Amino acid sequence: MDTVETAEEADRQARVFWSILRDSVARVAMNAQDQIRDPDVHECFMWEAGYPVLWRSEEAGWVSPELRSRLDALDHLLDQLSDAPGAWTDEAIMLLPLWEEARRAALECLVLMPTAPWEVGT
């Protein structure tokens, strides 16, 4: 049996996934000391739940071409970190240049991501 998503459900889903993605970006953007101290920093890796459904936010009009490009670049950096042996130790988070590059890219994304874009202009 096929289910058809209502416009209200689609909007709710878009908001949930936007919030997951934005929170993930914010956690990647944290400075290294805060990342290793934050017991919930693993939440930044909810990226895999939010990024693949970015199309929902795009359809809602919340993702500019610039933001899309920056999120794609951040995704590439996170892939590189995932593939790098030892990149997930506290020492690597503090010292690995790839982590600093990911933090910088995440900050660039974050400034383009309002907390609740569905409220912008209302």
Side-chain angles (χ1 to χ4, degrees):
M1 177 180 184
D2 289 334
T3 59
V4 177
E5 188 175 65
T6 67
E8 185 177 299
E9 290 168 333
D11 182 61
R12 186 176 47 79
Q13 287 293 318
R15 290 177 187 209
V16 167
F17 287 120
W18 174 268
S19 296
I20 289 169
L21 183 64
R22 189 181 185 287
D23 186 59
S24 297
V25 170
R27 290 184 187 279
V28 174
M30 293 169 69
N31 70 53
Q33 295 83 4
D34 289 342
Q35 284 175 329
I36 62 174
R37 280 194 297 255
D38 185 343
D40 296 322
V41 79
H42 65 278
E43 296 299 327
C44 73
F45 303 106
M46 290 296 291
W47 175 263
E48 295 299 328
Y51 179 74
V53 289
L54 184 59
W55 61 269
R56 287 187 180 270
S57 297
E58 286 177 308
E59 284 183 354
W62 306 332
V63 179
S64 67
E66 178 183 2
L67 176 56
R68 177 60 197 231
S69 175
R70 291 180 186 272
L71 288 169
D72 290 345
L74 179 56
D75 183 57
H76 179 71
L77 291 168
L78 292 174
D79 283 345
Q80 289 179 338
L81 282 168
S82 292
D83 292 341
W88 302 98
T89 65
D90 288 353
E91 184 178 354
I93 290 170
M94 294 286 293
L95 301 174
L96 192 66
L98 190 54
W99 267 107
E100 189 55 40
E101 193 175 344
R103 282 190 281 275
R104 194 171 29 259
L107 281 170
E108 291 172 358
C109 292
L110 200 56
V111 298
L112 300 173
M113 298 179 78
T115 302
W118 48 90
E119 294 176 356
V120 174
T122 59

